[in-house]
Amino acid sequence: MIQFEYGCPGSLMETTSILRNNPEAVLLAGGTDILVRIKQGMIQPAMLVDIKSITELHGISSIEQNGLRIGALTTLTELVENDLIRNRCPVLSAAALSMACVQVRNRATIGGNVANASPAADTVPPLMAFDAELEIFADEDIKRVPIGEFFTAPGETVLQENEILTAILIPDTARKAHYIKHTLREAMDIAGVGVCVSRKTQGAPDPRVVLGAVAPTPIRVPAAEQFLSEGKIEEACAAAVDAARPIDDVRASASYRKDVIYPLVKRASYAVFAR
Amino acid sequence: MTYPIELTINGEFIKLDIPANWRLIDVLRRDLSMTGTHEGCGEGDCGACTVLVNGQAVSSCLMLAVEANGCEIQTIEGLADGDILHPIQEAFIEVGAIQCGFCTPGMIMTSKALLDKHADPSEEVIRRTLAGNLCRCTGYEKIVSAVKAVSSKLLNQTDSIAE
Ligand SMILES: Cc1cc2nc3c(=O)[nH]c(=O)nc-3n(C[C@H](O)[C@H](O)[C@H](O)COP(=O)(O)OP(=O)(O)OC[C@H]3O[C@@H](n4cnc5c(N)ncnc54)[C@H](O)[C@@H]3O)c2cc1C
Ligand code: FES
Ligand code: FES
């Protein structure tokens, strides 16, 4: 492995000052994306800044009536096992359990999954289906960005060099949701297509339809959501197929991806709208 | 530049000075000559490098040694008590779950983390837990049987203590 320096700051302020003084530094959370990329020679950071000693980034708590605040360093294993998440947002536990293997889930963090900005990141479709907001430490201040405005391209986000994702906020968990990760292998595989459908549990359903791995970023499909709110499931599926811009890669061809979106959206919609 | 770290490996307190780019597996294999932990892929895909960090199964190829500062590490070398093998090691031998042996230390450490938490996991849970441990030889059946055998043995032991 290439050589790099290592920093282990104890606070957010200290982290930003390290980042300011070391423009080539990169944040290190669980390392399960970044250490692989370093090994494969895809990036050559001069310094890794390990944020795991920063206590504010840990922990899961409830906010407002139905909301959740999930610290950026929450591991995938914690998402699988934590009672607050399991009770209030079981789809996120299920998505986390579908990821990688236990050895990786014990290290990998939700913040790393989001910040890494893979179009196939498995926690993202459920988070988008709950209108999650990202809490970001920027210029000694905290700001909030809707997750739908966070991703700009594969691996690219609106996050600036010295900004830190501190938490993921789910303002209202009163939704029923279903995530389907379509893979070619049963375990240890990245999503070929990911589909998450959700609706409010009370009042008008206000559905969400989110697709992963079929466009440069995970996408919401407002046209499909509109059809679902009118009870038109077949039309919603067709709208989702139309919205997708998949590519050919080792996991699946673009046309295969297009073909499976329809039945996946249908299955997820029935799961969520079934009485 | 090197970084000082302190950690416990199989109950022994150790202080080291290491470069930031050394992974935990490099410290184990190169610095400490503990070659029981194997490196297959180096990218988190095969599980051969699995060790326990504070009781949790972790791929030691995906963790920097500096990140292990203050941690308690268990490796395959720490399981046997002198000449007396750990029940999981015994079960792997008895059932015939070892062929070339390359995957075995990782299989056993992942199984240990599981059994430490759940004394009696279902076959489904065993298979899901071992999903990140690849074996080129055995076809997995005997590995799953070994983990099942050891869990019933451990259960019987605790039963007889309780009686
Ligand atoms: C074998 C294997 C299987 C995998 N399977 C899956 C899978 O099924 N599904 C899936 O979605 N992913 C999978 N992954 C990818 C990876 O495990 C996840 O994306 C994981 O959640 C990344 O989290 P991390 O903490 O390890 O990130 P790191 O590697 O530490 O960081 C990833 C990126 O995010 C940045 N970052 C991390 N935290 C922050 C923060 N708080 N603020 C700002 N930037 C930050 C880092 O600088 C880096 O650029 C797999 C990886 C491996 C090795
Ligand atoms: S060597 Fe670590 S997972 Fe393969
Ligand atoms: S026994 Fe040979 S790889 Fe498993």
Side-chain angles (χ1 to χ4, degrees):
Chain A
M1 227 194 269
I2 53 135
Q3 298 208 357
F4 45 79
E5 305 277 285
Y6 175 76
C8 191
S11 71
L12 291 168
M13 294 293 265
E14 200 185 326
T15 308
T16 35
S17 82
I18 293 178
L19 291 175
R20 210 170 286 129
N21 297 329
N22 300 271
E24 310 256 305
V26 173
L27 296 181
L28 172 71
T32 62
D33 271 313
I34 211 166
L35 295 179
V36 173
R37 271 188 287 143
I38 293 173
K39 174 159 189 288
Q40 293 178 343
M42 288 156 76
I43 51 169
Q44 284 99 23
M47 182 180 203
L48 291 187
V49 183
D50 186 348
I51 52 178
K52 288 190 289 295
S53 303
I54 306 174
T55 40
E56 299 105 287
L57 302 183
H58 291 271
I60 299 166
S61 53
S62 100
I63 50 168
E64 286 135 31
Q65 292 110 327
N66 276 321
L68 282 176
R69 181 183 188 278
I70 306 169
L73 288 176
T74 300
T75 62
L76 301 179
T77 296
E78 289 173 290
L79 292 182
V80 172
E81 294 179 353
N82 180 272
D83 284 337
L84 266 179
I85 306 274
R86 285 163 62 109
N87 294 334
R88 300 241 201 116
C89 195
V91 70
L92 193 54
S93 300
L97 186 60
S98 79
M99 293 168 70
C101 54
V102 67
Q103 293 93 323
V104 170
R105 289 196 297 272
N106 284 338
R107 301 285 298 168
T109 67
I110 188 170
N113 194 233
V114 171
N116 195 54
S118 159
D122 285 301
T123 64
V124 174
L127 291 174
M128 285 176 67
F130 277 85
D131 298 336
E133 291 177 9
L134 304 179
E135 186 188 275
I136 293 166
F137 184 77
D139 299 324
E140 309 183 2
D141 212 356
I142 293 275
K143 64 177 180 187
R144 282 186 181 197
V145 176
I147 192 166
E149 294 167 17
F150 185 69
F151 306 105
T152 52
E156 304 280 336
T157 71
V158 299
L159 213 57
Q160 299 296 304
E161 242 120 61
N162 52 10
E163 295 182 343
I164 304 156
L165 176 61
T166 49
I168 291 100
L169 308 171
I170 301 180
D172 184 4
T173 56
R175 279 181 172 270
K176 183 172 179 190
H178 192 74
Y179 178 57
I180 302 176
K181 172 180 182 173
H182 186 70
T183 54
L184 301 186
R185 285 168 61 199
E186 219 187 291
M188 286 289 280
D189 205 355
I190 305 291
V193 175
V195 170
C196 192
V197 174
S198 79
R199 69 164 176 99
K200 285 191 169 162
T201 47
Q202 271 160 15
D206 191 20
R208 297 285 176 270
V209 175
V210 188
L211 306 180
V214 296
T217 68
I219 52 166
R220 253 180 78 180
V221 188
E225 295 172 359
Q226 181 58 39
F227 281 123
L228 276 189
S229 59
E230 296 162 11
K232 297 176 179 161
I233 290 185
E234 303 283 342
E235 288 84 345
C237 298
V241 174
D242 276 349
R245 297 282 173 273
I247 55 164
D248 293 306
D249 70 9
V250 290
R251 287 196 179 81
S253 66
S255 66
Y256 177 81
R257 287 192 157 99
K258 276 259 184 193
D259 285 347
V260 294
I261 292 170
Y262 194 103
L264 294 179
V265 172
K266 192 167 170 177
R267 222 187 296 158
S269 301
Y270 274 107
V272 159
F273 280 91
R275 268 160 240 265
Chain B
M1 178 167 181
T2 59
Y3 299 80
I5 60 168
E6 299 182 356
L7 68 174
T8 309
I9 301 181
N10 299 329
E12 195 184 330
F13 181 74
I14 295 178
K15 283 184 176 187
L16 295 166
D17 259 308
I18 39 131
N21 65 350
W22 279 44
R23 303 161 305 166
L24 180 55
I25 192 169
D26 300 322
V27 163
L28 294 173
R29 291 184 58 91
R30 293 197 221 156
D31 223 23
L32 303 173
S33 300
M34 296 170 69
T35 54
T37 303
H38 294 165
E39 178 163 3
C41 65
E43 298 184 4
D45 288 316
C46 76
C49 64
T50 305
V51 301
L52 305 197
V53 177
N54 299 334
Q56 286 192 315
V58 162
S59 303
S60 60
C61 73
L62 285 188
M63 182 171 178
L64 298 175
V66 282
E67 295 181 274
N69 189 24
C71 292
E72 203 172 296
I73 314 292
Q74 284 173 269
T75 71
I76 189 73
E77 286 89 350
L79 287 202
D81 181 5
D83 284 343
I84 303 166
L85 292 179
H86 187 277
I88 305 178
Q89 293 172 309
E90 288 275 4
F92 268 63
I93 294 169
E94 268 165 35
V95 173
I98 305 172
Q99 287 186 26
C100 80
F102 189 83
C103 70
T104 312
M107 288 285 180
I108 290 180
M109 296 315 287
T110 309
S111 304
K112 178 166 196 300
L114 172 66
L115 294 171
D116 285 348
K117 255 167 85 180
H118 309 282
D120 188 20
S122 65
E123 173 162 346
E124 164 81 9
V125 168
I126 295 172
R127 287 184 181 273
R128 294 225 162 262
T129 306
L130 292 176
N133 290 82
L134 302 187
C135 176
R136 294 296 302 268
C137 307
T138 63
Y140 302 102
E141 292 297 331
K142 293 195 168 174
I143 292 174
V144 175
S145 309
V147 179
K148 271 198 270 187
V150 69
S151 80
S152 40
K153 204 159 152 189
L154 289 175
L155 277 182
N156 285 338
Q157 278 174 5
T158 38
D159 284 352
S160 47
I161 294 167
E163 273 160 19

